[in-house]
Every structure is written in C-alpha cells, then in structure tokens.
Amino acid sequence: VRRGDKYRFWVILAFLVALQFSVRSRLGDERIAPDFLLLALLIYTIRSQPGRSAAAGFVVGLLRDALTPASFGAGALAHTLVGYLSAWGKAVFFAENLFVNGCLFFAGTWFRNLVVALASGKLKGGQLGWELLVWSPLQSLTTAVSGVAVLWLFGRWLSIRLSES
Amino acid sequence: MALGTDRYASRTDTLLFLGCVALSLAAMSLPPALRDPVAAALRQTVLAPFLRLQQESELLRTSQSRFEQVISQRDSAALAATFLPELRNENTRLRALLGLGQRLVTGYTPAEVLHQAAPTDPLTLDVSAGRRQGVHPLSAVVCPEGLVGVVFAVDAQTSVVITWAHPEFRASAMAADGSVFGIVAPHGTEGPGVWLLELRGVPYLQAVPIGTVILTSGLGGVFPRGIPLGTVIGVAGETEGWERTYLVRPAVQPAGVTHVMILGFARTGADVQGGFPPVRGGETP
C-alpha cells in the first residue's frame, strides 16, 4: 500500500463517519437508513487483520453504546464479532468482487443487528421479528448499496482490487 | 479454533478478538452506576465533535424546514393580502344586499353568481338558485345597485340569467321622475360603448338631460317598477323629428356581481323603487 493510498483510505473512512453524523438523518426512516459507521468498519476489515478488525469493532461498538446506554456492551460485542468475522471470512472465502463485497456489507449489517437485538435483550416477540425480518434487511440493503457505491467510486483509493467476475 | 482461523488469523488476532469479546461482556455486565459515567465520559470527549456535527446538521435541516415554512406563510399572507380588498368589497356588497332584502320585505331568493371562465360570462350568468329554491323563468335579478338581468332558464339547483349586456335583453324604462318612457337595450357589441345601455324610443321633443336616472317602468309585467338601470350620459343617435336614443351608463357591471336577489312573481308588477338607495344623477350608483 502506497503512502498516498493510505491517506486516501483514512480520508474515505473519515468521510463515511462524517456522513453518519451529518447526512444520515436526512435519508429517511432511521430504521432503514444506511449505517455509514458500520460501513466504514466493514471497509476497514477488508484490508485489515482479524485481530485489528475486532479491536476496531470493539471501539466503534463501545462508542455507539455510549450513545445508547440502554444496551451498553451489546454494540461492542456485536461490532467485535462483525469485525473479526468479516476480516477472517474475507481472507478465507471472499473474492475481490463488487457483488461479494455487497453481500458482505448486507450480511455484516444484518448480523450486527441480530447480535445487538439478542444481546441487549430489549427486543422480544413480534418486535424482534419485525426488527430482524423487516427493518434489518432493509437497512442491510441500503448499507450494502451505499458500500458498493463507495467501492465502485473509490475502490482504487481503498486499494481494493475488484475483479470483473 | 477452526482450521481457517489457524491459517488466516494469527494467535495475536485470536487473543485480541477474545479480549474484545471479554471486554464487551464485561461492559454488558456493568451496573448502571459504573456504566453511565463511562458512557457520559465518552460522549463528552471522543464523541463530542461528532455529536456537535450531528447537532449542526439537524439545526441546518430544521432551519431549512423553518425557512420553507416561513416562505409558505409569507406566500399565504401575500395571497390573502391580494384578496383583502376584494373581500372587503364583497362584505360591503353583502351588507347592501341584506339591506335591500329587508327593504323588499318578501318575495326574493338570494343566490350566488357562479362566474365562468369564458369571455361571454358577462352576457349570461349562472346563479346558485333554481327550481327548488322557488326561482321561475323571467324573474327579475337585482343587486343593491340595480337590475342585473332576467332569469332565462331554471334548473333544479341553478338558473341561467341573461344580463342587460345580452343582445336580446330589453326592459321597459322610464326617467326617475316618470317624465320619459322608452325601451332600454344593450348599446351594441362593437366599439367603445360596448358595455353601455341605450334608451330607445324617446320622443324627439322630450329631451332627457344628462345625469337622469333611468329605472324600470313596470310596463310589460316582467320587471317591477323602480329598479335602477343606469344614468343617461349622452345622446347616441336620433331620427330627426321623430325620436332620440340616449346612452345610459349601467347601474350594474355583471362581471363584478357576486351575489344577487331573484325577485319572485309576487313582486313583479309592484313598485320597488323605495327598496333601492336613491341614485344621484351624473354619478355611478
């Protein structure tokens, strides 16, 4: 990774974090708007080792938990799992392909919501069903679409090689 | 760990992962007394700039929304202000109509004029009263200023009125003092006097001074006597030694009428001159 690419990589991640706190509230329903913070984490995990990804996930999750103290710790656990599994799975299974990365973003978002919902213990019954079967898939979809757009636009800056297949 | 983990994740990665999971579980098990200060500290330090950014973003969004609301309110106010003089005029006219109704005592049907977006609107008017309201064909239609026209066709809920501007309109008329009689008709459909009336059939030797108020005479049995038609403003023409025709400025402009009263048959043939305010000669009623 060249030094210039490295800076660009961090600039894009910072840009996604800024989007999370500035633009996201204008993108419609909170429950289905793309999660740019998680997207930044997932993009980070594409290039990073599983251990660092887990640590990054933990930090991101803990910071999110500070904003939602009712489920404190659940976000940290969820993001840790997502970060580690994403980086590990990326190394083991995934090809450098735009569609595959989109699927990774979708699965990561949905899995994060699943772990938060279960670990926090706040959602039960029909509420949990709606969250996991309706709102989470929709949010995962918007996040995946956003992620694919970011990779398509800035793939070279992120030093992520996307194959044509 | 699975085989994949051994190959693709080092021991350090695994330990780091397990440490993070342990810390997460510890955070989850923190009692509120410990958990809340930690969360508050994070919000006030690391997260503070992000929360500030979010706050500014929300403020911007709210400001835009408020700005749009203010613009909408301003536009509404401007629109309302545009119609304010018209509303005042309508209010004045309605009050005048009420006064006329009281003076006529009985035998009328109030109606609203349903103006249409057509160039011929002033020639015929649709009014919001019909057979169910007791309207009959050939009923006189008046407003506080004077005669508007006559009912031409009656439907169940509406009626069609031909105004004095209609080419087929005729009314037996007289000077306010009863000295001169004639027939009032539209002046024509061309030229500058298109929206004027003319008083025809006045004997040549009976001069009608400018400013004379012309009323319906009641002859012919269609219009009651005494409804203002207009004011003489000049001579339109003459057949030498035989008769003169006078130009009459109408008392009512049909395009501006919003509410009318349709007189009943009981009033036809009666004298309603006292119901209308006195019209001074030479002035617009």
Side-chain angles (χ1 to χ4, degrees):
Chain A
V1 178
R2 291 175 298 175
R3 177 169 292 186
D5 289 341
K6 190 177 178 182
Y7 289 134
R8 287 171 179 171
F9 175 77
W10 289 109
V11 166
I12 290 169
L13 292 192
F15 173 69
L16 287 173
V17 174
L19 283 181
Q20 174 76 13
F21 290 98
S22 58
V23 176
R24 186 173 184 270
S25 60
R26 303 182 189 198
L27 299 180
D29 196 312
E30 280 287 316
R31 293 171 294 190
I32 61 174
D35 190 335
F36 294 111
L37 200 56
L38 180 63
L39 187 59
L41 173 67
L42 288 169
I43 288 175
Y44 174 80
T45 63
I46 291 176
R47 279 191 9 175
S48 301
Q49 296 295 317
R52 288 184 178 182
S53 299
F58 174 75
V59 171
V60 169
L62 196 66
L63 292 176
R64 302 196 84 154
D65 286 340
L67 297 174
T68 53
S71 57
F72 197 80
L77 178 64
H79 285 81
T80 300
L81 290 173
V82 167
Y84 181 81
L85 292 176
S86 169
W88 179 74
K90 190 82 177 74
V92 175
F93 301 111
F94 298 146
E96 300 285 1
N97 178 274
L98 205 56
F99 178 75
V100 172
N101 280 301
C103 291
L104 170 71
F105 298 145
F106 183 94
T109 308
W110 190 85
F111 183 70
R112 188 276 313 266
N113 290 349
L114 170 72
V115 174
V116 170
L118 294 178
S120 67
K122 304 292 180 188
L123 301 178
K124 288 172 183 169
Q127 209 175 9
L128 182 64
W130 270 94
E131 176 59 39
L132 295 181
L133 299 177
V134 179
W135 303 122
S136 284
L138 288 173
Q139 188 187 37
S140 304
L141 187 65
T142 57
T143 305
V145 169
S146 304
V148 167
V150 169
L151 290 187
W152 185 67
L153 289 171
F154 308 111
R156 285 200 313 169
W157 289 13
L158 296 168
S159 299
I160 295 172
R161 295 184 307 277
L162 301 172
S163 67
E164 296 301 322
S165 59
Chain B
M1 280 285 148
L3 178 63
T5 310
D6 295 337
R7 286 179 58 191
Y8 296 99
S10 65
R11 183 168 294 177
T12 309
D13 289 332
T14 306
L15 288 175
L16 207 51
F17 167 66
L18 292 175
C20 289
V21 170
L23 283 174
S24 300
L25 294 173
M28 287 175 67
S29 60
L30 279 178
L34 289 175
R35 183 189 65 197
D36 293 343
V38 173
L42 288 173
R43 285 196 300 272
Q44 290 165 18
T45 53
V46 182
L47 289 170
F50 299 109
L51 291 176
R52 180 74 181 165
L53 176 65
Q54 192 170 14
Q55 194 178 358
E56 292 292 333
S57 174
E58 288 296 321
L59 195 62
L60 184 65
R61 188 175 66 152
T62 310
S63 300
Q64 284 177 340
S65 174
R66 282 183 187 162
F67 180 72
E68 286 170 3
Q69 283 179 0
V70 168
I71 291 290
S72 301
Q73 287 172 355
R74 191 205 62 183
D75 291 346
S76 301
L79 191 65
T82 305
F83 290 113
L84 199 58
E86 195 172 324
L87 288 173
R88 282 184 180 152
N89 287 339
E90 187 176 354
N91 202 8
T92 306
R93 291 181 59 78
L94 285 171
R95 286 182 179 175
L97 205 62
L98 279 173
L100 174 63
Q102 288 170 353
R103 289 191 293 275
L104 290 174
V105 186
T106 57
Y108 67 88
T109 304
E112 291 181 343
V113 178
L114 310 173
H115 286 290
Q116 306 299 317
T120 54
D121 180 57
L123 304 183
T124 58
L125 299 173
D126 290 337
V127 295
S128 64
R131 196 178 304 113
R132 291 183 187 171
Q133 287 76 32
V135 177
H136 300 279
L138 297 180
S139 298
V141 180
V142 300
C143 69
E145 291 83 8
L147 184 70
V148 176
V150 62
V151 174
F152 172 71
V154 181
D155 300 325
Q157 296 283 1
T158 60
S159 302
V160 180
V161 175
I162 61 169
T163 69
W164 57 257
H166 195 280
E168 294 178 7
F169 176 85
R170 300 290 184 275
S172 177
M174 64 176 188
D177 58 3
S179 60
V180 177
F181 285 79
I183 298 294
V184 162
H187 178 58
T189 57
E190 293 181 357
V194 63
W195 296 116
L196 293 176
L197 288 165
E198 60 183 30
L199 179 63
R200 300 172 181 170
V202 179
Y204 188 79
L205 296 177
Q206 285 185 312
V208 182
I210 292 173
T212 301
V213 175
I214 305 299
L215 309 175
T216 54
S217 68
L219 300 176
V222 175
F223 299 110
R225 181 188 174 93
I227 304 173
L229 283 164
T231 307
V232 174
I233 58 172
V235 177
E238 57 185 34
T239 304
E240 195 166 347
W242 181 244
E243 66 172 24
R244 281 195 178 97
T245 299
Y246 292 90
L247 277 177
V248 176
R249 183 169 57 213
V252 177
Q253 294 299 328
V257 175
T258 55
H259 296 80
V260 294
M261 302 174 78
I262 304 169
L263 302 186
F265 269 128
R267 307 306 302 171
T268 306
D271 189 342
V272 296
Q273 187 172 356
F276 292 89
V279 180
R280 286 182 293 177
E283 293 182 5
T284 306

